[in-house]
Amino acid sequence: MQLQTGSISSSDALDLLIAPLSPEEFFRDYYERKYFHSTQKHPGMENLLSIDRIDEIIADSELPPTAISMAKSGRSIDPAEYTFPDGIVDRGAVLDNFRDGSTIILPQLHFADGKLYEFCLSLEQAFGSRTQTNIYMTPPGEHGFGVHFDDHDVFVLQVAGAKDWEIYGDRETLPFRGEGFNKDRDDTGKLRAQFVLEEGQCLYVPRGTAHRALTHGDEPSLHITVGILTQTWADFMLEAVAEASLRIPEMRHSLPRDLFFNRGNGPEYKAMFERLAREIADKASFEATLTAFSGNFVRQQGGRVRGGLKALCKPIGPDDRFRVRDHILYSFEDSTEDGQDGKQIVLLGASMPLSDELAAQLQERIAAGSVAKSDFKVSDTEEMEDVFGSLVAYGLLVRD
């Protein structure tokens, strides 16, 4: 697949990462199970990122201290070596450290780069998870980190140069978020595979699989690491307990004052625990938990409002047609605004109450992917005008 500079579909983005596998093959045989090295090369990957773009970012972009870090030979570099005393990034020192063998790391660059951000958004529906990027620019013959595993699944896109990869053993269980690698505690297992990740190729490494990468050859390496920030069944069940607890009055009571000190009352308190656990199991609601999870997933997606300002600089005519922006998440949910039952549309940063009349038509038009004000037949035109304008402002609708 030749990458283009415009919006990329979810299927094309996933295909880039796993080709020649089908999605069914990848999720059945590899996802959360074992690494996959795609030897297929993708010309045009530099449309996502390039060494020239990294040079431009370091030279001309705003660089707060959190926008950059450095590492060399398995250890992090003290920020004092590439920042001024006031914390501002010393751009010359960054390049000088790179010259001396240090890897330049640009964490979360998708928040500052539109192409990477669009690419991340295109993957979120494919995985049902938040995604992020970290960028690694490594000099020839060097490596940033030693053998380690990550607490989230990663895809590596080799943009320029090549890397020698080493894949080690897996943990017996998948790590939770925050359960990171500790070299004094965790066994990396035996070396299982060695290969060269060449320019234009991709690699999938499940969380918990130990690995190391060293620059191959005489050219520097630039790669994009896409992190898949999954939510687990443990997260879902914890939310289910929290949701059910709202309907169990005793869950609001404080713990007994002597719970930690009076072992004689242990059987009584254990019985209380077991009774509450049974009541939680009885009252936990899959549907209510799913609604809470999906709503939070929508609300936590990053905003995308490019084109909105231009569209709002003049009045929106009744026949001006708008399309639903690619990869933007939204949901229609029940609302209890002002104590009144009704519907609302939920976006990042906004929950807009809707009359039943407008909600039904809006849901139908947005599902169709194209909408104009003249499509609506409602009695409250003021409500429709206000909601339509807000959907443009918050990025759901973009002018055709």
Side-chain angles (χ1 to χ4, degrees):
M1 181 186 70
Q2 174 76 35
L3 286 179
Q4 304 298 320
T5 56
S7 179
I8 182 172
S9 70
S10 294
S11 59
D12 282 347
L14 183 60
D15 182 64
L16 167 67
L17 299 178
I18 66 174
L21 297 177
S22 68
E24 292 75 20
E25 290 173 317
F26 172 76
F27 286 108
R28 182 190 65 220
D29 299 333
Y30 292 93
Y31 186 54
E32 297 188 327
R33 291 176 175 84
K34 57 184 178 180
Y35 83 93
F36 174 67
H37 174 204
S38 173
T39 57
Q40 183 167 321
K41 293 188 177 182
H42 299 275
M45 196 179 284
E46 68 274 6
N47 285 331
L48 274 178
L49 193 64
S50 66
I51 292 177
D52 282 346
R53 175 65 176 138
I54 300 299
D55 185 58
E56 177 186 24
I57 290 169
I58 294 173
D60 301 328
S61 298
E62 181 182 2
L63 286 177
T66 56
I68 193 166
S69 61
M70 305 193 79
K72 181 181 180 182
S73 302
R75 68 175 184 88
S76 297
I77 303 296
D78 187 338
E81 294 191 26
Y82 54 88
T83 59
F84 293 112
D86 60 2
I88 295 175
V89 173
D90 183 346
R91 300 165 196 261
V94 169
L95 299 183
D96 205 30
N97 274 283
F98 175 79
R99 180 187 62 81
D100 194 40
S102 296
T103 293
I104 298 172
I105 305 166
L106 300 173
Q108 309 285 310
L109 186 61
H110 59 291
F111 286 129
D113 186 279
K115 293 178 185 177
L116 291 176
Y117 188 72
E118 191 75 22
F119 187 71
C120 283
L121 292 184
S122 70
L123 291 169
E124 291 193 343
Q125 285 186 309
F127 287 92
S129 301
R130 292 275 85 86
T131 60
Q132 66 178 23
T133 63
N134 290 325
I135 311 303
Y136 299 87
M137 179 78 185
T138 305
E142 298 289 347
H143 67 281
F145 297 102
V147 181
H148 69 285
F149 63 73
D150 296 303
D151 65 359
H152 55 277
D153 297 63
V154 299
F155 286 91
V156 178
L157 291 73
Q158 191 66 38
V159 176
K163 279 279 184 81
D164 291 310
W165 273 81
E166 300 171 350
I167 302 293
Y168 292 81
D170 301 323
R171 285 168 48 104
E172 292 183 0
T173 58
L174 295 168
F176 285 117
R177 290 293 304 280
E179 196 177 357
F181 177 76
N182 184 324
K183 65 180 181 180
D184 297 323
R185 177 195 65 203
D186 296 308
D187 180 13
T188 60
K190 295 181 179 180
L191 180 65
R192 295 171 50 196
Q194 291 178 287
F195 53 87
V196 178
L197 188 67
E198 299 180 0
E199 184 173 313
Q201 294 181 345
C202 296
L203 169 67
Y204 166 69
V205 183
R207 59 193 185 277
T209 296
H211 56 274
R212 182 173 67 156
L214 302 89
T215 303
H216 175 86
D218 299 327
E219 298 293 328
S221 164
L222 172 62
H223 77 258
I224 303 166
T225 294
V226 177
I228 310 299
L229 309 181
T230 57
Q231 296 185 93
T232 65
W233 277 108
D235 299 319
F236 195 87
M237 297 305 292
L238 287 170
E239 179 66 32
V241 170
E243 191 279 329
S245 297
L246 297 175
R247 291 174 280 111
I248 304 174
E250 286 174 294
M251 292 290 285
R252 301 173 184 269
H253 293 182
S254 60
L255 291 172
R257 289 173 295 163
D258 61 350
L259 176 65
F260 311 124
F261 314 111
N262 186 352
R263 296 297 182 181
N265 288 336
E268 175 188 348
Y269 296 150
K270 180 181 179 183
M272 179 68 170
F273 170 83
E274 291 172 346
R275 186 176 66 77
L276 288 173
R278 289 192 296 270
E279 193 163 0
I280 288 170
D282 181 59
K283 293 189 175 179
S285 166
F286 173 79
E287 289 76 14
T289 306
L290 182 60
T291 296
F293 252 61
S294 61
N296 289 337
F297 190 62
V298 169
R299 291 179 179 92
Q300 291 167 7
Q301 185 183 50
R304 195 70 173 149
V305 298
R306 182 68 180 269
L309 180 61
K310 186 177 180 180
L312 294 170
C313 281
K314 59 181 180 179
I316 298 172
D319 296 319
D320 291 344
R321 190 147 293 277
F322 288 73
R323 61 176 173 82
V324 178
R325 190 186 299 270
D326 294 334
H327 315 311
I328 291 295
L329 301 178
Y330 64 92
S331 64
F332 286 89
E333 300 179 3
D334 292 331
S335 170
T336 55
E337 187 80 11
D338 298 326
Q340 301 296 315
D341 293 336
K343 289 287 187 181
Q344 63 180 353
I345 183 171
V346 177
L347 301 164
L348 171 72
S351 299
M352 305 174 200
L354 305 170
S355 64
D356 291 342
E357 183 183 38
L358 179 58
Q361 296 182 49
L362 184 63
Q363 193 163 358
E364 178 182 356
R365 294 311 311 166
I366 288 181
S370 177
V371 60
K373 289 180 180 179
S374 57
D375 294 336
F376 296 93
K377 308 300 180 187
V378 294
S379 55
D380 189 345
T381 56
E382 184 176 347
E383 179 200 17
M384 184 271 293
E385 293 268 357
D386 184 57
V387 168
F388 198 102
S390 292
L391 294 180
V392 175
Y394 282 95
L396 180 63
L397 299 182
V398 60
R399 192 181 294 275
D400 262 344

